[in-house]
């Protein structure tokens, strides 16, 4: 009985591993506080990751608190507008569904260029509209091969491990022959 | 300091209950499910469970259910610490961060060790991996010495204490707060040093104590003193130690200072308990026992087994390979005599739809079913199924219906010409197809795609209508050749379950057939069949075998490339230059096909076109294809074969050596096809929806609604896709190198130098891998998408 149960559990776990290997939707949020401003009755905090920010994919998340009691506001609509130095505008809606921390509104954006970006966060709750603005400094993107270094070092690492394994095996068989 | 007064929730238009509930719910929904961490935890759980199950059968007293519970509880706490809201909120509250560290170091690590994980994890590994992979490491004296050093109490105490103190220094703690990667490093340091720290305390079986047992009491007390000092500093220091928490929004009403003091108090109380409880337990045990329990003979033998020596337990019978046909539902469906016909009929009607839309529909590739279904979806699904299962696309081949029709209408019965009984015709057809695809932009021409499909149906009708057997599949079909070659690295194979049973068989129904069933039309005799080459997964042999001795069995991907035994209907791979040429074409075809879609190559082609004043791309593509698909591979492989023969000092013939080693390139070629085709599949899979809607509207049906062309545009945030592509390439390279090495060893057993034989082919594989990485990192045309 126990055997049967453990066999079912191990098969289910294996299946879960396979499912995990499938691509998942990217959820963002976290990083450093970039901006904290009061707007009407809200205290709006903007986080951004990675720290420091780099061109490419960035994760912007927003915490909206009621200024008077610090309670997070969870039923607002949040728009994020970013304007680059070249005049390029990136706009996205941040939602709680996109966030890992469900007190925040998050979105993943693609900032194609480095430099200073103006950020505007528009918060709409019922008839109330509030807005905060500030600046983000975005460094140039990492070269692509650097951002994937883990996968690029995998083959040399595996090869080194294999060479060591083969050496140890030959040593073992030499010992046995002696 | 008192928390800020909380405004009555009614001022927000919410009842108090709503507010508390929604905030609380939001907090409890804040999970961070990192697939990498989850996969690692699940894999560990599977390995432990497999090993524990076997050990539980042999020594139920030592490996009781309590060990399993402890180990799984440890993993669950590890998961809780790294994926639950604790991790999400650790950047906002120091108290939460400290709870997270406490779970990692004081609960997860000791619980995992209580599960005595060493032997169960080892026994959970597949036998070959345990014996050939881990065995030499475990038997290495240097590594055994390292193991003893790491599990020495002094090492554990110093490593854990220094790590704890170092990571609580503001400069390092801030580093971890600001970067997700450093946060992971911090947690890894805590968890791994905690394992080292708790090892001498718990002494997970079968480890032996390196200090007298009483010494564990001062050992734990010293750790408690360090914990007390650190906690007291956090509690009583009047300034904020970690500036990040000053800027973090306050959610609980606690000030930063209160949060810091709370974190210190929590660390103090819970930490001291975690050290002092084991002190009490060890003391009681020492006072209550007067003799050390010696490990039993069996325990020592089992411990020896972990060091690569054999286990004196009754050896279990060779485990039978996993069989897809024995899986409930799937097995029954696959065995159902009409399943194949149903699958073929579905594919046939899809092909008819494609032809109709290609001939009469909108002629923009990204809007037409003929521009999307075959080039994006069918190819994408085909390579994914080849990767995870086998050649199931030949099983559901739509051309089978016209083949069968041809057999009924046409006179048939001729034998396929002797001159063409090889893969050379297929080589020519595959090369032509690859060239035509690029030269005439077939992917962007629904009309041409439809005519190719019609041509395919007509050829299948004629060839199999006139000739015996499955000549079309075996000698003509380029799609079939693609599937045959790449199913050499698939994890499933149609194979005999028990070879001994075939020894007594007199009827050979698997190849001859019987009154009920056809035998193998591709002339593959199951007992002599090795690998998936030329197998269409028709399952006629499964149905025909009177002993129910043929299944779809799990095999180690790529293992059949190493083997050079005689293969039914193929002979030895080392004696088949036509098969080697086909493989070579597929491998270099993968690179040429992918390179043709990247911007630097397109720009270069444009430059060449304007330099030579040409109006058409076709001459340029033709010359480039002749160079890179025919001339370069022949020269490179010829040189590798000659160098390998020279450096290896073998007497084997150049042709034999080259044919053998070319087979090793299949995994790398397949990984390039995967990286390329999966890219188009992932970026373009949703484009089929508006294309179907458009086709329906053109047919006068508004049932599916108006086409939403936004679904045919490229999704912008697919940051995991390059990682997946690189992973494919990494695995392809590693498998190619491994297969090459094993082939080199095969020749080395005849007195040659394995390294000399292997070197040139390894160099070629690494060069191709670097080329593949370069291709993947280039901007790629979004074929099959709007605005490519």
């Amino acid at each position: 009985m126990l055997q049967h149960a453990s066999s079912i559990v191990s098969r289910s776990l294996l299946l879960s591993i396979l499912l995990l290997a499938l691509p998942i939707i990217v959820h963002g949020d976290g990083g450093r506080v970039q901006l904290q401003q009061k707007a009407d009755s809200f205290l709006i905090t903007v986080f951004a990751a990675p720290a420091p920010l780099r061109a490419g994919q960035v994760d912007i998340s927003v915490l909206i608190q009621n200024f008077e009691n610090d309670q997070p506001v969870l039923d607002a609509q949040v728009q994020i507008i970013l304007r680059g130095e070249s005049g390029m505008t990136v706009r996205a809606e941040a939602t709680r569904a996109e966030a890992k921390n469900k007190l925040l509104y998050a979105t993943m954006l693609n900032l194609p260029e480095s430099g200073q970006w103006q950020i505007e966060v528009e918060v709409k709750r019922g008839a109330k509209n509030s807005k905060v603005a500030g600046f983000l400094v975005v460094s140039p993107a990492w070269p692509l091969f650097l951002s994937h270094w883990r996968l690029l070092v995998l083959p040399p690492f595996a090869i080194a491990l294999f060479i060591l394994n083969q050496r140890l095996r030959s040593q073992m068989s030499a010992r046995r022959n002696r | 300091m008192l928390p800020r007064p909380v405004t009555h929730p009614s001022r927000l238009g919410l009842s108090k209950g709503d507010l508390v509930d929604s905030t609380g719910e939001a907090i409890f929904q804040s999970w961070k499910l990192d697939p990498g961490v989850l996969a690692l935890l699940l894999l560990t759980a599977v390995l432990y469970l497999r090993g524990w199950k076997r050990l539980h059968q042999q020594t139920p007293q030592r490996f009781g259910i309590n060990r399993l519970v402890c180990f799984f509880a440890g993993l669950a706490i590890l998961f809780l610490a790294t994926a639950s809201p604790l991790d999400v909120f650790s950047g906002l509250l120091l108290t939460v961060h400290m709870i997270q560290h406490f779970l990692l170091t004081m609960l997860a690590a000791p619980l995992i060790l209580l599960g005595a994980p060493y032997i169960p994890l080892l026994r959970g590994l597949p036998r070959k991996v345990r014996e050939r992979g881990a065995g030499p490491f475990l038997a290495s004296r240097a590594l055994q010495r390292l193991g003893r050093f790491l599990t020495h109490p002094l090492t554990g105490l110093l490593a854990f204490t220094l790590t704890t103190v170092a990571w609580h220094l503001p400069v390092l703690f801030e580093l971890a707060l600001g970067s997700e990667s450093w946060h992971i490093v911090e947690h890894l340091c805590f968890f791994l040093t905690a394992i080292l720290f708790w090892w001498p305390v718990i002494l997970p079986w079968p480890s032996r104590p390196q200090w007298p047992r009483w010494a564990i009491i001062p050992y734990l007390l010293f750790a408690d003193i360090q914990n007390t000092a650190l906690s007291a500093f956090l509690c009583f220091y009047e300034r904020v130690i970690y500036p990040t928490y000053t800027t973090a929004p306050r959610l609980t009403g606690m000030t930063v200072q209160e949060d810091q003091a709370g974190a210190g108090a929590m660390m103090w109380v819970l930490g001291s308990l975690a050290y002092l409880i084991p002190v009490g337990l060890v003391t009681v045990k020492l006072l209550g026992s007067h003799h050390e329990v010696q490990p039993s003979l069996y325990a020592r033998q089992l411990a020896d087994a972990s060091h690569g020596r054999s286990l004196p337990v009754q050896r279990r019978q060779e485990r039978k390979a996993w069989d897809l046909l024995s899986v409930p539902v799937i097995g029954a469906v696959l065995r159902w005599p009409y399943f194949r016909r149903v699958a073929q009929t579905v594919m046939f009607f899809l092909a008819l739809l494609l032809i109709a839309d290609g001939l009469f529909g909108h002629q923009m590739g990204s809007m037409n079913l003929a521009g999307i279904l075959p080039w994006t979806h069918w190819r994408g699904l085909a390579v994914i199924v080849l990767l995870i299962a086998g050649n199931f696309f030949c099983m559901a081949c739509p051309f089978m219906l016209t083949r069968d029709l041809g057999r009924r209408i046409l006179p048939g019965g001729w034998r396929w010409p002797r001159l063409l009984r090889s893969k050379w015709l297929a080589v020519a057809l595959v090369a032509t197809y690859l060239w035509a695809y690029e030269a005439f932009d077939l992917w962007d021409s629904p009309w041409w795609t439809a005519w190719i499909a019609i041509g395919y149906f007509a050829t299948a009708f004629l060839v199999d209508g006139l000739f015996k057997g499955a000549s079309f599949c075996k000698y003509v079909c380029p799609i079939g050749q693609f599937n045959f070659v790449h199913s050499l690295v698939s994890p499933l194979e149609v194979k005999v379950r028990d070879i001994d049973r075939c020894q007594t068989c007199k009827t050979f129904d698997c190849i001859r057939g019987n009154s009920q069933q056809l035998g193998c039309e591709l002339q593959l005799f199951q007992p002599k069949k090795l690998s998936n080459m030329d197998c269409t997964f028709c399952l006629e042999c499964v149905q025909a075998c009177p002993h129910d001795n043929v299944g779809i069995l799990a095999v180690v991907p790529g293992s059949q490339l190493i083997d050079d035994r005689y293969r039914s209907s193929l002979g030895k791979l080392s004696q088949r230059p036509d098969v080697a040429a086909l493989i070579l074409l597929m491998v270099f075809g993968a690179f040429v096909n992918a390179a043709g879609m990247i911007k630097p190559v397109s720009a270069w082609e444009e430059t060449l076109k304007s330099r030579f004043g040409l109006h058409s791309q076709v001459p340029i593509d033709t010359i480039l294809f002749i160079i890179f698909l025919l001339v370069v591979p022949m020269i490179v492989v010829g040189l590798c074969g000659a160098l390998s023969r020279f450096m290896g000092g073998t007497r084997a013939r150049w042709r034999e050596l080259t044919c053998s080693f070319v087979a090793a390139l299949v995994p790398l070629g397949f990984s390039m096809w995967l990286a390329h085709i999966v890219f188009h599949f992932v970026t373009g899979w949703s484009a089929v929806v508006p294309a179907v809607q458009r086709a329906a509207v053109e047919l006068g049906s508004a049932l599916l609604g108006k086409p939403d062309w936004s679904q045919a545009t490229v999704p912008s945030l697919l940051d995991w896709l390059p990682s997946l592509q690189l992973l494919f390439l990494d695995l392809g390279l590693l498998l190619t190198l491994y297969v090459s090495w094993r082939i080199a060893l095969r020749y080395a057993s005849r007195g040659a130098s394995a390294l000399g034989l292997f070197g040139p082919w390894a160099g070629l594989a690494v060069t191709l891998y670097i080329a593949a990485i370069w291709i993947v990192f280039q901007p790629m045309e979004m074929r099959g998408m709007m605005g490519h």
Side-chain angles (χ1 to χ4, degrees), chain B residues 307-336:
Chain B
H307 293 116
R309 275 161 257 162
S310 61
L311 202 67
V313 293
Q314 196 185 350
R315 282 195 85 85
R316 286 166 59 148
Q317 277 193 328
E318 190 81 11
R319 279 173 68 112
K320 284 189 177 163
W322 182 81
D323 188 348
L324 184 67
L325 292 181
S326 64
V327 175
V329 185
I330 296 176
V333 170
L334 288 171
R335 279 168 181 277
W336 183 47

Side-chain angles (χ1 to χ4, degrees), chain A residues 31-32 34 48-55 57-58 137-142, chain B residues 175 178-179:
Chain A
R32 292 253 182 215
Q34 300 286 340
L53 279 175
R54 292 198 171 270
Q57 282 200 14
V58 295
V137 178
V138 179
S139 310
W142 286 115
Chain B
L175 183 70
S179 151

Side-chain angles (χ1 to χ4, degrees), chain A residues 68-69, chain B residues 5-16 19:
Chain A
E68 290 182 357
N69 60 13
Chain B
V6 175
T7 312
H8 198 276
S10 58
R11 285 182 60 181
L12 301 173
L14 297 163
S15 73
K16 192 176 176 182
L19 185 70

Side-chain angles (χ1 to χ4, degrees), chain A residues 62-75:
Chain A
V62 181
L63 175 69
I64 305 160
Q65 290 170 280
N66 195 295
F67 186 71
E68 290 182 357
N69 60 13
D70 283 346
Q71 284 294 337
V73 175
L74 303 176
D75 56 352

Side-chain angles (χ1 to χ4, degrees), chain A residues 3 65-66 68 102 151, chain B residues 11-12 30 57 250 730:
Chain A
Q3 284 242 351
Q65 290 170 280
N66 195 295
E68 290 182 357
K102 299 294 177 196
L151 283 161
Chain B
R11 285 182 60 181
L12 301 173
S30 300
Q57 282 173 347
R250 312 313 304 164
D730 284 356

Side-chain angles (χ1 to χ4, degrees), chain A residues 118 144 177:
Chain A
Q118 191 196 12
L144 212 51
N177 290 339

Side-chain angles (χ1 to χ4, degrees), chain A residues 96-109:
Chain A
R96 284 178 55 219
E98 283 284 302
K100 279 176 285 211
N101 182 339
K102 299 294 177 196
L103 298 181
L104 309 187
Y105 299 80
T107 185
M108 296 285 279
L109 294 165

